[in-house]
Amino acid sequence: MKQFLLFLFLGISFTFHTKAQQITLKKGIILDTVPINDSIPDSFALYLPKNFENTGKWPVVFVFDMEGKAVQALRMFQAAAEEQGYILAASNNVYDTLSIPKNIVIANKMFNRVFSLFPIHASRVYTAGYGSGARFASVIPTFIKQIEGVIACGAGIARTEILSIKNRFHFIGIVGREDYNYSEMLAQKKMLNRLKFPNHRLFFDGGHEWPRQNYIAKAMEIFTLSAMAKGNLRRDSLFIAKGFAQDLDSIKASIASNKLVQADDLMARTLSVYRPHLDMDSLMERRRLLKKEKAYRALKRNENNQLFKESLIKEDYGYYLEEDVLTYNFNNLGWWNYQMQELEKFCKSQNRAERQMGKRLRGFVNALIEDNIDIVMADRLVDTEALHFLWMLKTITAPQEYRYYLKIISSYAKNEDFGTALFYLEELLKNGYKDRASLYKLEDTALLKITPEFNRIVAKYLKDARYDVIEE
């Protein structure tokens, strides 16, 4: 491969010549479509840090988004990669709708292309993702042995049953304390410890959402420190001291705000990460004393109680939802409405652990319903009644997700059940829906939207209706 540098107005670019094509790769910006090769239509997004040079050995993180949104996924990692000095790549062609083997083949082609273009450090290759992308990233090391570690945001390991002690990788999970996957992350930590997989958790105050860049940067920092500990990277005393000082500051801040369980988690992670590099006796003693404090023990006991309570409620939700879907138990929608009122009480609790539990459960029940909708929709013959029940349930568990009201209105109007359609029309508008134009464009509502009742409801909430209401 022949290569040379071009100095352009926007910065330094690398131009690579191969037998069939020429590629110009600019540093410091995300490139959205780097081709695999001329004979394969697949492509990937790429980010090279500004200090990248085509010499030495570079770490790389392959980021996965299962909706093909590679550029958006790389943006979430860009600042961390720039700070920590990592190359990023993300396939434009992996999807949830494809089988795992097909997605693995697509990912492997991207890996080979990146390895052919850049001087990649063979012992510093990682995968990452958010949600379903994180779960796929956690499966890849089982099939591609060169993967050293995984950064999983908002989700745990997808297939724990296929983990092998012959192919261990470093797992770093980043999850919000209000994320419905939080308890799963805690449980998997115990399992990974038992299998002697190196693993760490980074918890933040939030729900099922992308973590801030500093958490992703911390995960990359942990990988770098691990590479130093293994002798795969030259030891950098300044880098080690800076990271350790930041962790100590975070521990002090948690203690100062009475987040003692959080402080203990931070201490445990810091001890694990920095033990190969620094004397940890002082921090170990501080942790020992913290765990003896009455306030810490009370907070820890409270969190454990809430986690146990959460597990029981999850079992109930799973059982009753399965029963209700199988029997089309529309009469039980009132029970689900009561459950949401109870969760709202938890979410407003003065008890932090209970408040976090409530928000996790609210996320869990919505994810559970959406999973069931996907299952019903995937059948060759769609069970319309089951789908109607699940849509109606979503208007109870997530009243601001307007698309489910619209689906109900459209489906019941198609079947000329105008009473149900009008009821959900009014519920939709009560909950703040404002798009009058879209209402009148809704599929299968031609007869419904010319009725006086439809237009009377629209006029009541949106001040104007398309068709006049004629009173007899």
Side-chain angles (χ1 to χ4, degrees):
M1 182 184 298
K2 180 183 176 184
Q3 55 203 15
F4 58 89
L5 298 181
L6 294 176
F7 289 84
L8 299 181
F9 177 71
L10 291 176
I12 301 174
S13 298
F14 290 86
T15 301
F16 292 90
H17 292 272
T18 66
K19 289 181 179 179
Q21 61 192 154
Q22 174 178 305
I23 307 172
T24 300
L25 303 176
K26 194 179 296 294
K27 299 192 296 184
I29 64 170
I30 294 174
L31 302 171
D32 58 358
T33 312
V34 179
I36 298 295
N37 60 47
D38 280 349
S39 61
I40 299 175
D42 292 0
S43 65
F44 60 94
L46 177 73
Y47 181 77
L48 300 175
K50 293 175 184 176
N51 66 341
F52 175 80
E53 298 292 343
N54 204 38
T55 57
K57 296 292 182 180
W58 288 82
V60 60
V61 177
F62 293 101
V63 184
F64 292 94
D65 180 278
M66 305 313 288
E67 297 178 358
K69 298 177 181 177
V71 172
Q72 293 91 323
L74 287 199
R75 285 194 185 118
M76 305 309 297
F77 283 77
Q78 182 178 356
E82 183 63 40
E83 176 187 329
Q84 297 294 321
Y86 280 68
I87 295 172
L88 300 175
S91 174
N92 289 309
N93 306 103
V94 293
Y95 290 95
D96 265 334
T97 52
L98 299 177
S99 67
I100 289 178
K102 286 183 179 179
N103 279 325
I104 292 289
V105 169
I106 292 168
N108 195 49
K109 290 174 182 176
M110 173 181 63
F111 294 165
N112 290 334
R113 182 59 166 157
V114 171
F115 296 151
S116 73
L117 288 174
F118 308 111
I120 301 300
H121 197 304
S123 298
R124 301 187 67 196
V125 179
Y126 311 96
T127 59
Y130 169 77
S132 59
R135 295 193 186 279
F136 179 63
S138 73
V139 170
I140 292 176
T142 301
F143 300 95
I144 300 175
K145 307 300 182 185
Q146 197 173 0
I147 307 303
E148 180 70 15
V150 175
I151 301 174
C153 303
I157 296 173
R159 304 284 296 274
T160 56
E161 70 276 11
I162 64 175
L163 294 176
S164 171
I165 59 174
K166 295 180 180 179
N167 187 36
R168 294 188 178 101
F169 58 89
H170 192 160
F171 180 81
I172 299 180
I174 309 177
V175 66
R177 293 180 180 85
E178 297 168 3
D179 191 328
Y180 57 88
N181 287 313
Y182 175 78
S183 56
E184 177 193 35
M185 285 276 202
L186 293 177
Q188 287 189 355
K189 180 175 180 60
K190 295 179 181 178
M191 177 202 64
L192 291 173
N193 286 342
R194 188 172 63 253
L195 295 174
K196 294 182 168 40
F197 274 64
N199 67 95
H200 296 92
R201 298 299 180 280
L202 306 180
F203 299 123
F204 63 90
D205 291 329
H208 189 62
E209 61 196 72
W210 275 98
R212 295 193 304 273
Q213 294 274 348
N214 61 306
Y215 286 93
I216 297 174
K218 178 59 69 173
M220 291 180 180
E221 178 186 298
I222 291 172
F223 282 153
T224 300
L225 290 164
S226 177
M228 291 179 186
K230 292 178 179 179
N232 295 327
L233 185 65
R234 181 181 59 82
R235 190 175 187 277
D236 185 335
S237 298
L238 291 177
F239 181 87
I240 293 168
K242 179 182 177 183
F244 183 62
Q246 289 173 346
D247 280 6
L248 290 182
D249 287 343
S250 297
I251 292 167
K252 290 176 183 176
S254 296
I255 293 173
S257 57
N258 200 39
K259 296 179 178 179
L260 303 184
V261 175
Q262 181 175 328
D264 180 57
D265 288 338
L266 288 169
M267 286 182 180
R269 189 190 77 209
T270 303
L271 286 166
S272 173
V273 170
Y274 289 95
R275 187 175 283 114
H277 304 286
L278 300 169
D279 182 353
M280 292 286 105
D281 289 348
S282 176
L283 185 59
M284 288 176 65
E285 178 63 15
R286 288 176 65 184
R287 188 183 183 211
R288 188 182 67 81
L289 293 173
L290 174 69
K291 292 170 80 71
K292 284 187 173 183
E293 289 185 18
K294 185 176 180 181
Y296 166 82
R297 294 201 303 271
L299 290 170
K300 186 65 175 178
R301 184 167 54 252
N302 179 44
E303 182 182 74
N304 289 338
N305 289 341
Q306 300 303 333
L307 286 168
F308 179 68
K309 183 177 181 179
E310 179 181 343
S311 68
L312 297 178
I313 294 174
K314 280 183 174 180
E315 287 182 10
D316 283 348
Y317 286 168
Y319 172 78
Y320 286 115
L321 183 61
E322 182 179 8
E323 288 292 306
D324 289 349
V325 171
L326 287 173
T327 60
Y328 314 136
N329 192 3
F330 292 91
N331 290 330
N332 209 33
L333 289 172
W335 181 84
W336 285 103
N337 187 52
Y338 171 75
Q339 294 303 311
M340 293 306 103
Q341 293 172 13
E342 291 300 296
L343 291 190
E344 187 62 23
K345 293 177 185 177
F346 291 150
C347 293
K348 293 179 179 179
S349 172
Q350 296 300 309
N351 183 316
R352 182 189 297 139
E354 186 173 64
R355 186 167 64 248
Q356 291 169 342
M357 178 197 71
K359 292 179 180 180
R360 289 196 297 269
L361 284 169
R362 191 162 59 188
F364 171 79
V365 72
N366 277 292
L368 186 64
I369 296 167
E370 287 164 11
D371 285 346
N372 275 267
I373 290 173
D374 290 342
I375 291 169
V376 172
M377 292 293 292
D379 285 345
R380 187 172 61 84
L381 294 175
V382 175
D383 187 338
T384 306
E385 283 299 287
L387 203 55
H388 285 165
F389 174 83
L390 290 164
W391 287 346
M392 289 179 181
L393 186 53
K394 277 295 287 187
T395 69
I396 294 170
T397 62
Q400 301 302 313
E401 292 190 35
Y402 300 132
R403 67 184 183 276
Y404 294 103
Y405 299 88
L406 296 172
K407 289 176 184 292
I408 295 167
I409 294 166
S410 176
S411 184
Y412 277 88
K414 182 178 180 179
N415 294 322
E416 298 188 9
D417 182 348
F418 290 171
T420 301
L422 290 170
F423 173 81
Y424 278 93
L425 170 66
E426 186 151 19
E427 291 300 305
L428 169 68
L429 298 175
K430 280 181 183 177
N431 280 285
Y433 187 78
K434 301 294 183 184
D435 192 346
R436 188 176 70 92
S438 292
L439 277 179
Y440 283 97
K441 293 178 183 177
L442 194 59
E443 286 184 356
D444 301 315
T445 60
L447 293 177
L448 175 68
K449 64 192 176 189
I450 62 173
T451 62
E453 294 85 358
F454 183 94
N455 288 279
R456 188 178 293 113
I457 292 171
V458 172
K460 176 181 176 181
Y461 291 94
L462 300 183
K463 308 303 180 186
D464 189 21
R466 177 172 294 182
Y467 304 106
D468 291 334
V469 179
I470 301 175
E471 301 289 351
E472 296 183 2

